[in-house]
Amino acid sequence: MIHPRPNEPDAHPYLRAATAGVRHHARALNRTAPPDRGHLDTLHAHLTELHRLLDQLAEVTRPPHPAAGRHLATAHTRLWQATTEIHAAFHLLPGNAEQAGTDTSACHPERLPEGPPVLTICQRHLAAGHSIRRKTTPADLRPHTTACVR
C-alpha cells in the first residue's frame, strides 16, 4: 500500500477513513458467529457506494486514458457481481427466530423483522441494478437473476 508523504495533504481523507473502518471491522469480526441481516445490509450499502464511486471514476478516466477507464469499468462490473451475491446472502439468512422457518429468498421488505426501512436493501439493489444495466451488456454481467420484483 502506498502511503502519502507526511508533508503532502491527504487528498482522499473520507475514502481512507472508510477503508480503515472496514479493516478495523474485519479484524474485530467475531469469527464464530455468522453475520446477521443487519451486517449484510450495512455491507451492501458500503458496496453500492463503492459501486457509484467506481462508476464515476471510470467515466472521468475513460476519455483521457481509455485503457485505464476500461479496467475501472471492469472493476465496476465485478463489484456489482459481489454486491448481488451479498444481496442474495441477505435473503438466505433468517431475520429472527420466528422467521427461521419461512421463505426469505424473495424480496419482501414489509416482512423484515425490523419493519420496512426508508431504503431497504432491495430498493438500494434495484437502484444500483438500473445503473449497471444502462452501462453494461448482459454478457458482461453473466447470467443474472434477482428475486427483487417491483
Side-chain angles (χ1 to χ4, degrees):
M1 182 173 146
I2 299 174
H3 296 284
R5 294 185 184 118
N7 59 357
E8 114 184 1
D10 189 0
H12 310 285
Y14 298 117
L15 193 54
R16 289 187 197 286
T19 303
V22 168
R23 260 192 241 117
H24 172 75
H25 181 74
R27 280 191 302 267
L29 188 63
N30 179 356
R31 299 193 194 282
T32 60
D36 61 6
R37 280 184 154 198
H39 185 158
L40 292 185
D41 185 32
T42 303
L43 182 58
H44 186 272
H46 187 75
L47 288 177
T48 54
E49 288 305 316
L50 284 174
H51 181 259
R52 286 182 21 192
L53 176 61
L54 266 175
D55 184 33
Q56 292 171 354
L57 288 173
E59 288 296 316
V60 172
T61 304
R62 194 169 293 143
H65 307 285
R70 282 191 301 273
H71 281 286
L72 289 173
T74 299
H76 176 254
T77 302
R78 299 298 178 260
L79 186 60
W80 168 251
Q81 291 168 338
T83 305
T84 297
E85 297 304 325
I86 295 294
H87 177 250
F90 173 89
H91 287 293
L92 293 175
L93 288 178
N96 57 22
E98 305 95 53
Q99 246 186 344
T102 63
D103 176 29
T104 58
S105 61
C107 288
H108 296 287
E110 70 281 359
R111 285 197 256 162
L112 292 175
E114 62 277 4
V118 175
L119 181 63
T120 68
I121 186 172
C122 302
Q123 290 168 330
R124 185 184 324 114
H125 194 72
L126 285 170
H130 290 302
S131 166
I132 189 93
R133 284 181 178 87
R134 281 194 309 265
K135 297 179 183 212
T136 58
T137 66
D140 293 336
L141 294 175
R142 73 183 163 91
H144 171 73
T145 58
T146 182
C148 290
V149 207
R150 278 227 183 257

